[in-house]
Amino acid sequence: MAHVDAGKTTVTERMLYYTGLTHKLGSVDEGNTVMDSDPQEEKRGITISSAAITTYWKDHQINLIDTPGHVDFTAEVERSLRVLDGGVVVFCAKSGVQPQSETVWRQADKYEVPRIVLINKMDRQGADFQRVVQEIRDVLQANAVPVQIPIGAEDHFTGVIDLITMQAYVWNSDDGKQFVVTEIPAHLQEATLQARQTLLEELSLVDEKIFEKYTEDPGSVSAEDLYAALRKATLSRVLMPVLAAAAYRNKGVQPLLDAVVHYLPSPEEMGNLRDLLENARISSAEKDDILPSSLITDSPLAALAFKIMADDYAGKLTLVRVYTGALHTGDMVWNNRTNKKVRISRLLRIMSDKFEAVEEIGAGDIGAVVGLKEVRTGDTLSDPAHPVSLESIDFPEPMIGYAVEAKLAKDANRLGEVLARLVDEDPTLQVSVDAASGQTILKGMGELHLEVVLEKIATNYQLEVRKGQPQIAYKEVFTSSVIHKEVYKKQNGGSGSFAVIQFELGPRTDGLAGLEFVNEIKGGAIPREYIPAVQKGFEEAMKTGVLSGYPMQSMRVRLLDGEIHENDSHALDFEHAAIIGFKSVAAKAKPRLLEPVMSVEVTTPEEYTGSVTGDLNRRRGMIRNMEMRGNAQVIKADVPLAELFGYVTSLRTLSSGRAAASITFVGYEQAPAGVGV
């Protein structure tokens, strides 16, 4: 995982080549890589969808997922991190920590994923290993400790020095398969000893055994001691080993494979699996039986569906990670969301865009189930005798949308079916119908995301689509509180409808999103069974704000008092009272519009600094920081998403094609008057 263009796919391709899975070096530039098999990935030279593959290195099976680096496809990283045990975070030796590097790092922190760091592109002009290590420590607040140092940089990068074995690895062959293990070059002896001492000192702080040996006699610390201590420190995430490579030049990848085996966890070491069983419907005593720490394969089944794919030949595929037990062809399994049993008809092992039929997917493995109709991303599949719920996957909300319609009227129904299938595959897509205009609105994470989806509709489904102007996902929020009494009553012959609620409506003070519902009813003025209906009514009302019809970001409701009628009051009446009460009084709570704000990082030659900052200011941007990095100026600014359409194209024009920008989502902020209305 990494920022876009740090070299993830190239690193993955080299891993597959050196493990013997492929016999030809794939190149992103030539569009012939194993992992970027989608025609759009080959065309654009970026990863769009995470691709899984299984390979073997030194008697170890490695399940590998290559994730996208572009911010629009961050959900692919999210779901991959949720099901993987370890990560390799790739940084460019020239660019260092970039905006999306921070995003993927935070995602890995959220899922508590142990990781190792690879500083790639050591052959690039401006490559600086130590500077990037320092940036990782400063910007990401991570304890990154080199276990290698590079031999040379830029055109002179020839290999690495291993600080554990104290040997040099030098690559001379074109394809990088052969390398020479040799003595440390004389001019790097001092730097190596200093780096080794830093490694020993860092490990002494987190490992008692290393501390004792290091304080008595630093020379007595063996390579085995260091491997064991580094593994322990990596798994507990108190330290991240750092390696160097130039994957495109075929240098440094074999030691990375060794590091994956040495430092990243096997499925048995995945922390405490009980943490995953968030809502387990079994007793804690049984949980101990189900999850012995030593052997997860003998336990009842617990698997997570983390991705839905459509394959031209196999049909609908559900990708699953098996945590405990095993999944067999013909098994009946329990779906935690639908509370129904489903039959496993066919199982496949995934080899990027190819599949092999298998009879079983074991614990720790990733595979695909063919033809599961009612299974969605985030569903748990488990043994019907031991039904459990694994922690699901959180996805970010879509940022922008287009109104879409089929060019030909006869294709309207088919477009609906295609959109439903795409939403099933990609949880960050949303389809809704605008109540006022009747238009179908397709929402996604950004311009590129929606562009890719519309191109997919045209090429994969041969369906021509017209799109309207981009629509921003604005939200609304209250800025003051107001108290209101809503009386809802209807008489229609038989049993009538009656509900009275008194409530205070206002802003949340804790900074969180969603509804904060506080029940302050005293003396049973509203029976307890009707309270959830009031809450449900306000949750429903939040979906449409009163300012411009955008959903509410957050609000606080205090339910103060109410009345019921002995015969005419029903739960639905209280739900209606809440919805009507919200609409009646919301305008008095001074609603304001919120707009999505993006962090923009521009790297530009110094002579264009004035033009770039002037353009950002015109776009209502707030310049946060400016610094020199090498011979380039790096400008960081927060800019409203509404002002960023076509920004990359306009930046290229401003800088004669020499500046580059990366854009990541920051949060929602109050919009000035006149925006979005």
Side-chain angles (χ1 to χ4, degrees), residues 524-553:
I526 300 175
R528 194 178 298 159
E529 62 266 28
Y530 292 158
I531 303 296
V534 179
Q535 184 171 347
K536 187 183 171 190
F538 282 114
E539 282 168 354
E540 190 60 36
M542 277 183 81
K543 292 177 183 174
T544 313
V546 292
L547 196 60
S548 302
Y550 296 110
M552 302 297 302
Q553 161 90 334

Side-chain angles (χ1 to χ4, degrees), residues 296-350:
I296 56 176
T297 45
D298 292 343
S299 314
L301 172 73
L304 187 78
F306 69 95
K307 186 170 180 175
I308 310 294
M309 285 169 59
D311 183 72
D312 292 343
Y313 304 105
K316 182 179 174 181
L317 299 177
T318 304
L319 271 57
V320 295
R321 155 75 199 256
V322 179
Y323 282 94
T324 60
L327 203 52
H328 303 91
T329 303
D331 279 357
M332 288 295 286
V333 297
W334 186 263
N335 181 339
N336 73 317
R337 183 180 54 82
T338 61
N339 285 335
K340 289 179 184 172
K341 289 181 185 176
V342 289
R343 180 176 290 282
I344 305 299
S345 57
R346 280 178 67 209
L347 294 174
L348 303 173
R349 183 181 293 287
I350 313 157

Side-chain angles (χ1 to χ4, degrees), residues 55 207 296 391 504 627:
T55 189
D207 191 286
I296 56 176
E391 182 191 348
E504 181 189 65
E627 60 179 334

Side-chain angles (χ1 to χ4, degrees), residues 254-298:
Q254 292 94 329
L256 172 64
L257 282 160
D258 288 337
V260 168
V261 169
H262 281 312
Y263 310 130
L264 292 181
S266 73
E268 282 98 338
E269 295 166 307
M270 250 306 284
N272 186 348
L273 276 166
R274 288 172 192 77
D275 293 347
L276 293 169
L277 302 180
E278 192 186 48
N279 308 314
R281 294 188 287 275
I282 47 177
S283 69
S284 55
E286 277 185 299
K287 245 187 256 187
D288 287 335
D289 296 336
I290 285 178
L291 299 168
S293 57
S294 58
L295 202 64
I296 56 176
T297 45
D298 292 343

Side-chain angles (χ1 to χ4, degrees), residues 146-220:
V147 293
Q148 294 176 348
I149 60 168
I151 302 172
E154 301 179 350
D155 292 340
H156 305 293
F157 176 69
T158 55
V160 296
I161 294 167
D162 191 316
L163 300 177
I164 297 168
T165 61
M166 292 300 276
Q167 290 173 313
Y169 295 76
V170 179
W171 278 262
N172 296 318
S173 63
D174 285 346
D175 69 352
K177 269 199 171 179
Q178 277 75 45
F179 54 89
V180 180
V181 181
T182 178
E183 295 292 311
I184 296 164
H187 70 283
L188 288 172
Q189 287 277 3
E190 194 180 327
T192 304
L193 289 170
Q194 204 172 338
R196 163 109 173 171
Q197 188 178 338
T198 303
L199 174 63
L200 288 169
E201 284 171 358
E202 290 288 350
L203 279 173
S204 298
L205 295 172
V206 296
D207 191 286
E208 280 183 32
K209 189 177 175 185
I210 299 290
F211 175 73
E212 285 168 15
K213 285 196 170 187
Y214 178 62
T215 47
E216 285 171 22
D217 175 15
S220 67

Side-chain angles (χ1 to χ4, degrees), residues 477-481 506-507 552 586 588-594 670:
V477 71
F478 293 128
T479 55
S480 71
S481 297
M552 302 297 302
K588 295 178 184 171
K590 297 182 183 168
R592 289 290 302 271
L593 205 62
L594 298 177
Q670 280 196 24

